[in-house]
């Protein structure tokens, strides 16, 4: 292999693919980046056997070939080079790098020893605007379950049909966001994508990215961008029928300033009982106000009052403040609707200018 | 105690004094902030028995008094309040706080249980411009020894006479910086200030601060700003006579671009042997260049070439790259002088537009 490319391209590509390396790779070659030439471009690839990331960099290929070299070392070296042309040449299992006054030899492992990254040969199922997808993924993925005890909810649910519907829950709270497809799909496809895949996808989608093509096979999913691609296994299992827990109406609802609600919950959180995370929300339609209180015998107590537009019957509900803040922190609307029905059924937070985003929280039973 | 002050003042004061709380306070009251009234102002104080931090906030005092309350809780609560007037009132060992629609009660401990923070009653020894002091402290303090095995070099040396001279060393490298006093001092005062005190002082000196008055007693030092004061014990011991190791001349010197030298050392660092941190610097007066190399059998090797103005006899010296980078990272000049004399005597880095800053590094013996 012998080629010339720019330091900028190489640095950008390495930043993307190096994220595909696992925390403690089980084989030395899994800590390496695979460099190969393909159709006049340099292809960079990494995998942890669960996900695979590929980046294509333009360049002047003088001789085809490939090698794998340690990812962290290569990334660190390229990042410190001046922004100029970089020459790469493989000789005797060693990559020789030169750039202006810098020269280095990095010892590698044969390209043949690198595991095969699965390819989905089918046509893409759908295409979405990259910025829409990135935003939607950020707005749901935080709600996934952390533990692997129930693997099906440790991922993000994706339903591709007329729209792309994304949902995540850990059984205490749920986030759902729907976005438009470039073209509606006939029939529907349902998959569960591992949380880590979603996190890496969010990182890979740059500000400049336009579209993302989504490809699905029996047990794999691929997200294809202009210059890069992420392939991942799917989570095996059936996603819970979460639609039934989203309340359709409320006995009591309040439209509040999002910032007021956030700061009131935050001050209350300081006084909630250690390990319980409980705060009380008292919704008063008569006074058109919401009172948020918390008390811990050891430290003291707190009361915050928020004025708003309150309708229905008076309700007092206890929540885990962390779940409320998690949801509010992902809302950009200035007004939010809080809808409750008694102190034991799911409550809803809905940003007022974003109808396609819903956040549901279970109260703490008293 | 009963008073009114602004949320901004209180929040700023709490950010400053809360840093004075130790990591694991030995007594509950040491995790608290002491609030008292003094000469029409609210005084906030914390201590870990080694350092004490005081902040004075303007306010309308309606009733004198005092209390101590948990620092983290108070800081978190005040930070989340709207920027408005805050009322504080002590009743029955509890601080009642109210601000617009927020109200809280925080349980405290009597002010009498708070340890006495020493006061230096003498006049100040010298005054320095706050920005000069902050910059100089940052430029030397990183070089102090981490271990407590030799407590005298785990602090920053201060020599107050015609100027203020600051030095720090861990015996492998040394940083020295001299700054002007507002007025020269008769005679001279030498002290060693603990590293943690220096770190907190750097944080306390804000962008807006003008002057810092320095006060010294037998075993205490105080730094006094407009609205705050830091008091600390001094390190007991004699600082090593470091002046003798600063080289006065070199057999070989090179004036180089600071950025080129940094990136060359950084790329070389990636190939240095694990745990040795060694890189080789080859200074070549004939070619007017400096060659930086490193090699590790396992990963590969690297060569970087820097053009510069080189004088004297050719030298090859091995350094710990971390010490070189530490020094260079604190230099803002575009050009730096590297002066060496053989491969076993201290070498010098001097930024070319900052004559009062000197950084000395010991080579690694081969």
């Amino acid at each position: 292999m012998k080629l010339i490319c720019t330091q900028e391209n190489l640095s950008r590509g390495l930043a993307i693919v190096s994220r595909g390396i696992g925390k403690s790779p089980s084989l030395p070659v899994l800590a390496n980046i695979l460099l190969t030439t393909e159709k006049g471009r340099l292809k960079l690839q990494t995998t942890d056997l669960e996900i695979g990331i590929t980046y294509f960099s333009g360049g002047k290929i003088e001789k085809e070939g490939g090698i794998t070299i340690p990812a962290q070392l290569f990334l660190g070296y390229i990042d410190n080079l001046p922004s100029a042309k970089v020459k790469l040449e493989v000789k005797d299992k060693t990559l020789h790098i030169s750039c202006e006054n810098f020269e280095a030899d990095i010892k590698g492992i044969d390209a043949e020893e690198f595991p095969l990254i699965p390819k989905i040969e089918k046509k893409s199922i759908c295409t979405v605007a990259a910025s829409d997808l990135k935003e939607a993924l950020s707005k749901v993925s935080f709600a996934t379950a952390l533990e692997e005890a129930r693997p099906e909810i440790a991922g993000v649910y994706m339903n591709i049909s007329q729209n792309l519907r994304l949902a995540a829950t850990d059984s205490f709270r749920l986030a759902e966001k729907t976005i438009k497809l470039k073209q509606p799909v006939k029939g529907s496809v349902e998959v569960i994508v591992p949380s880590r895949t979603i996190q890496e996808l969010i990182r890979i989608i740059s500000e400049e990215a336009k579209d993302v093509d989504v490809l699905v096979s029996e047990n794999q999913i691929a997200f294809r961008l202009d210059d890069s691609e992420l392939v991942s296994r799917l989570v095996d299992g059936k996603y819970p029928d979460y639609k039934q827990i989203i309340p359709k109406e409320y006995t009591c609802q309040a439209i509040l300033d999002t910032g007021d609600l956030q700061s009131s919950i935050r001050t209350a959180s300081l006084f909630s009982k250690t390990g319980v995370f409980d705060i009380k929300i008292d919704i008063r339609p008569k006074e058109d106000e919401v009172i948020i209180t918390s008390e811990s015998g050891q430290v003291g107590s707190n009361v915050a009052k928020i004025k708003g537009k309150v309708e229905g019957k008076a309700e007092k509900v206890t929540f885990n403040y962390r779940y409320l803040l998690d949801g509010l922190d992902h809302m950009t609307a200035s007004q939010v609707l809080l809808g409750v029905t008694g102190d034991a059924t799911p409550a809803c937070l809905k940003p007022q200018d974003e109808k396609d985003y819903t956040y549901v929280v279970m109260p703490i039973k008293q």
Side-chain angles (χ1 to χ4, degrees), chain A:
Chain A
M1 191 179 83
K2 192 175 173 185
L3 60 95
I4 299 170
C5 59
T6 65
Q7 187 269 345
E8 291 88 344
N9 265 348
L10 209 45
S11 176
R12 172 173 147 70
L14 290 172
I16 289 174
V17 299
S18 64
R19 307 273 332 170
I21 306 245
K23 270 189 186 155
S24 33
S26 50
L27 296 166
V29 78
L30 293 178
N32 282 12
I33 292 182
L34 173 64
L35 286 81
T36 47
T37 50
E38 189 178 294
K39 296 176 190 166
R41 294 191 294 179
L42 169 65
K43 184 161 89 169
L44 305 173
Q45 286 187 298
T46 57
T47 185
D48 66 354
L49 305 177
E50 298 260 310
I51 69 171
I53 305 180
T54 304
Y55 179 84
F56 289 97
S57 164
K60 197 182 149 209
I61 312 293
E62 294 179 5
K63 196 178 155 191
E64 306 275 335
I67 192 170
T68 82
I69 55 166
Q72 286 313 315
L73 174 61
F74 192 37
L75 176 70
Y77 191 77
I78 298 296
D79 274 355
N80 273 301
L81 291 181
S83 83
K85 289 220 159 58
V86 180
K87 286 186 198 174
L88 302 177
E89 185 171 5
V90 177
K91 267 188 194 167
D92 195 23
K93 292 193 191 180
T94 298
L95 181 71
H96 183 78
I97 307 166
S98 60
C99 175
E100 290 193 344
N101 296 323
F102 294 86
E103 278 190 64
D105 284 308
I106 300 183
K107 295 186 184 178
I109 300 174
D110 273 342
E112 287 69 37
E113 292 190 36
F114 201 79
L116 205 69
I117 294 180
K119 249 189 177 168
I120 301 181
E121 301 290 357
K122 292 184 198 173
K123 272 194 197 167
S124 67
I125 284 193
C126 70
T127 302
V128 282
S131 56
D132 286 357
L133 182 62
K134 186 173 177 141
E135 188 199 353
L137 292 171
S138 310
K139 285 187 169 185
V140 301
S141 59
F142 69 91
T144 52
L146 288 180
E147 313 120 57
E148 294 287 326
R150 290 182 60 192
E152 73 279 11
I153 60 167
V156 169
Y157 171 78
M158 292 179 111
N159 183 308
I160 307 166
S161 53
Q162 284 296 98
N163 295 303
L164 172 60
R165 179 153 53 83
L166 302 168
T169 182
D170 60 1
S171 80
F172 303 107
R173 41 69 185 278
L174 170 114
E176 188 201 55
K177 172 91 182 164
T178 304
I179 54 174
K180 274 188 196 159
L181 298 179
K182 294 261 162 173
Q183 287 225 295
V185 170
K186 279 179 198 165
S188 81
V189 178
E190 282 181 293
V191 292
I192 306 169
V193 185
S195 220
R196 179 163 170 237
T197 306
I198 299 294
Q199 298 316 322
E200 297 313 334
L201 182 57
I202 291 172
R203 285 200 188 88
I204 287 176
I205 301 175
S206 67
E207 293 295 315
E208 302 86 47
K210 276 183 189 156
D211 289 337
V212 179
D213 291 337
V214 183
L215 296 84
V216 178
S217 72
E218 201 180 336
N219 47 22
Q220 304 274 349
I221 191 164
F223 300 93
R224 193 170 285 169
L225 287 99
D226 273 352
D227 52 8
S228 49
E229 181 172 314
L230 174 64
V231 181
S232 163
R233 71 171 177 92
L234 289 169
V235 178
D236 205 18
K238 196 173 155 43
Y239 204 76
D241 179 17
Y242 73 86
K243 276 284 185 193
Q244 65 183 16
I245 72 140
I246 299 179
K248 277 162 203 73
E249 46 196 19
Y250 324 107
T251 56
C252 175
Q253 69 168 54
I255 294 173
L256 305 166
D257 180 274
T258 313
D260 284 355
L261 184 57
Q262 275 173 308
S263 60
S264 300
I265 295 172
R266 248 185 232 119
T267 56
S269 74
L270 299 166
F271 295 86
S272 85
K273 284 185 273 303
T274 315
V276 184
F277 312 109
D278 60 327
I279 60 163
K280 280 204 180 79
I281 299 191
D282 188 352
I283 313 175
R284 302 176 171 181
K286 256 192 206 164
E287 294 84 357
D288 253 342
E289 66 186 20
V290 171
I291 310 275
I292 297 181
T293 54
S294 58
E295 186 170 0
S296 152
Q298 286 159 14
V299 298
S301 61
N302 158 82
V303 181
K305 201 183 284 180
I306 316 171
K307 286 283 172 192
K309 201 180 148 206
V310 187
E311 287 167 11
K313 81 185 247 287
E315 295 278 13
K316 275 188 196 179
V317 193
T318 303
F319 291 101
N320 179 322
Y321 71 81
R322 297 179 306 168
Y323 295 142
L324 294 175
L325 287 179
D326 274 358
L328 289 168
D329 287 347
H330 288 86
M331 295 178 189
T332 42
S334 62
Q335 300 268 306
V336 64
L337 179 143
L338 169 66
V340 305
T341 302
D343 62 356
T345 45
C348 220
L349 283 172
K350 278 190 85 69
Q352 282 306 279
D353 63 356
E354 195 181 351
K355 299 287 171 205
D356 49 14
Y357 187 40
T358 304
Y359 188 70
V360 178
V361 190
M362 281 304 294
I364 298 180
K365 280 171 201 156
Q366 288 300 290

